[in-house]
Amino acid sequence: MALVRVALDARSYDIVIEQGALDRAGDLLSRHARKGRLVVVTDTHVAAAQLPRLDAALRASDVTVEPIILPAGEQTKSWRHLEQLLDALLALEIERGDHVVALGGGVIGDLVGFAASILKRGCHFIQLPTTLLAQVDSSVGGKTAINTRAGKNLVGSFYQPALVLIDPSTLDSLPPRETRAGYAEVVKYGLIDDPDFFAWCESDGHRLLAGDAQARVHAIERSVRAKAAIVADDERETSGRRALLNLGHTFGHALEADTGFSDTLLHGEGVAAGMALAFRYSARLGLCPQEDADRVTAHLKAVGLPYDLATAHVTANGPALVAHMLHDKKMAAGTLPFLLARGIGQTFLSKDVALDDVAAFLDEDRAKAQRGATL
């Protein structure tokens, strides 16, 4: 078992990483069960794959599970399903001292965390992430939100969980595409400030994607340790350091918006293409060596992740994609900060990027890719 502490004074909590942890959830979660019950929120897919394991483990410790099962998919992060979830929790008479368990991927984690933050002005919640993306990224750090018509994650709160319990064996039930999408967030930690970890991804990332348990635990632990350190230093993104975790997201969210936040482009796939675009744009500006940008693109391509507009199934032109970026929650005084790079492991926040130049770059990048495809 690996244990990572997120140090936030009174809001500190542990991240437990253990193969098979779901099967001994009774030992790990029973102390959080008020009156011998836990409300578990999940989606239809995870309910079929993982809820029976959790239910059996908790019943062995005399804890009753009260399940709330929501539809699977990004569309569940909505006003409608937030209201549905809150009504269901109130019907179960959830109190401030209760712990609600989020069993699922990033959608369930974000939705449950936001609901917990506003229900009776705040009850407790526990993250039990079942996707690679949620295990290495969204379950840690307390960012909770829903999507709106204006854009992704625009309504939410910073609200830390009481515990994060990560069982890499839950990844066995995921389709390969879901695992690859989560792997993009693993690569991100190497690109931010850990070039040795990116080199590990290049040499050993295929082991993780193939289901190697040791590689999974290594990548998950290294990723959450990196995120925990950043969150402890800048919980609410005030100093700028936590913003580094958004590498690839400004481009990526625009790509997701163009594809309707649908299964056409999963979040991690959008981040992958966004990171490749951020590095190529940095190279275009003369900030980053072209060979580093090429390494990023080559690795994403090698593992089957999107790396440009075409592979992300995006048809919009540069100005249209930039229009999506104008809804980004990081906009301040008409300026949109961008995560750029001086090289692998040298990501930085730039506040002087001209959006018309970004639009031109996106059109140029598409045209270059099309020329290359015809050679």
Side-chain angles (χ1 to χ4, degrees), residues 291-321:
E291 53 266 35
D292 282 10
D294 291 343
R295 276 180 67 191
V296 174
T297 296
H299 182 56
L300 296 174
K301 183 177 181 179
V303 299
L305 281 166
Y307 53 88
D308 60 12
L309 299 182
T311 53
H313 308 293
V314 170
T315 58
N317 61 19
L321 291 172

Side-chain angles (χ1 to χ4, degrees), residues 46-69:
V46 179
Q50 307 297 345
L51 186 57
R53 291 178 64 194
L54 179 60
D55 182 69
L58 289 173
R59 286 184 184 279
S61 295
D62 297 320
V63 176
T64 299
V65 170
E66 295 273 12
I68 298 174
I69 301 174

Side-chain angles (χ1 to χ4, degrees), residues 126-143:
I126 294 167
Q127 291 272 21
L128 213 167
T130 60
T131 67
L132 183 58
L133 188 148
Q135 289 176 356
V136 302
D137 189 69
S138 63
S139 67
V140 178
K143 278 189 175 181

